[in-house]
Amino acid sequence: MRRKAKRAFTQGCIQAIKRQVYCSIGESAQMNNETLPTLKDVMRRVAATVCVISFDSPDGPQGITVSSFTSVSMEPPTVLYCVNRLASVYMHLKDVKSYCVNILHANQTDVSQYFVTRADDAEPVNWGVIDGVPVLKDAQCNIVCESKDRTAVGTHDVFFGEVRSVAIRDDVAPLGYLNGRYCQFISDD
């Protein structure tokens, strides 16, 4: 019964996301080539925290940089992130049983770029392991999750995960992304 309730909750979240997108461009508007640049322009103005989703694969630890991450529920503790199905690591990522959302620290732009470009340069990653899952040791926070659901929406999949454990760095200085550039958030503390 609990599994059916979780699936219904997940489907409700997806429908709410779809309604927000469609309502934001007008009830009667169609998503077409004229409205997409407008939505992209709006989304460039939404500040996001930069994260790397890390997971184990047959080739060893892998990751992908994302800025589409958010919490969904505190009971059960659930988060989500989105990935384009054309991403190079998608085929590995879609089948993982567990993963880590690594919220990057402000000094980790090189780590973010590494997972974006997959350059042959030296890997700037300090790997660790929590609950058997590869994590970025120097991240702002590590959120280890068990994969719960994956739903296709347009060009992307929305991945839902139930939180198993967290690790938090003392200072609060996450890496941000705004208008196509990295940025830092300023705290009053």
Side-chain angles (χ1 to χ4, degrees), residues 27-48:
E27 290 290 332
S28 63
Q30 294 285 330
M31 281 281 232
N32 58 40
N33 289 338
E34 291 179 30
T35 56
L36 282 177
T38 303
L39 180 56
K40 283 184 180 181
D41 288 342
V42 169
M43 296 312 296
R44 285 178 66 95
R45 286 157 175 78
V46 176

Side-chain angles (χ1 to χ4, degrees), residues 17-167:
I17 291 168
K18 286 180 179 178
R19 280 194 303 274
Q20 280 183 321
V21 170
Y22 293 133
C23 291
S24 70
I25 61 169
E27 290 290 332
S28 63
Q30 294 285 330
M31 281 281 232
N32 58 40
N33 289 338
E34 291 179 30
T35 56
L36 282 177
T38 303
L39 180 56
K40 283 184 180 181
D41 288 342
V42 169
M43 296 312 296
R44 285 178 66 95
R45 286 157 175 78
V46 176
T49 302
V50 181
C51 303
V52 168
I53 308 302
S54 60
F55 56 95
D56 209 3
S57 79
D59 300 328
Q62 291 200 32
I64 183 171
T65 299
V66 301
S67 59
S68 56
F69 163 76
T70 193
S71 63
V72 175
S73 171
M74 292 299 148
E75 188 55 45
T78 306
V79 297
L80 72 77
Y81 68 93
C82 305
V83 172
N84 190 313
R85 286 188 296 280
L86 297 177
S88 62
V89 298
Y90 174 80
M91 294 310 290
H92 291 295
L93 186 59
K94 71 182 182 75
D95 295 322
V96 301
K97 302 274 189 259
S98 55
Y99 58 86
C100 181
V101 178
N102 301 276
I103 299 172
L104 296 187
H105 190 270
N107 65 5
Q108 291 184 296
T109 56
D110 59 335
V111 174
S112 174
Q113 277 304 116
Y114 173 77
F115 287 106
V116 169
T117 63
R118 306 265 187 256
D120 290 332
D121 301 340
E123 186 176 301
V125 178
N126 187 7
W127 290 106
V129 175
I130 297 176
D131 293 339
V133 177
V135 302
L136 305 180
K137 284 173 114 178
D138 302 323
Q140 176 75 64
C141 303
N142 308 103
I143 307 169
V144 176
C145 301
E146 179 181 340
S147 298
K148 286 299 179 186
D149 200 5
R150 176 172 50 94
T151 303
V153 179
T155 58
H156 286 61
D157 275 8
V158 180
F159 292 80
F160 292 86
E162 189 168 323
V163 176
R164 291 193 332 219
S165 61
V166 297

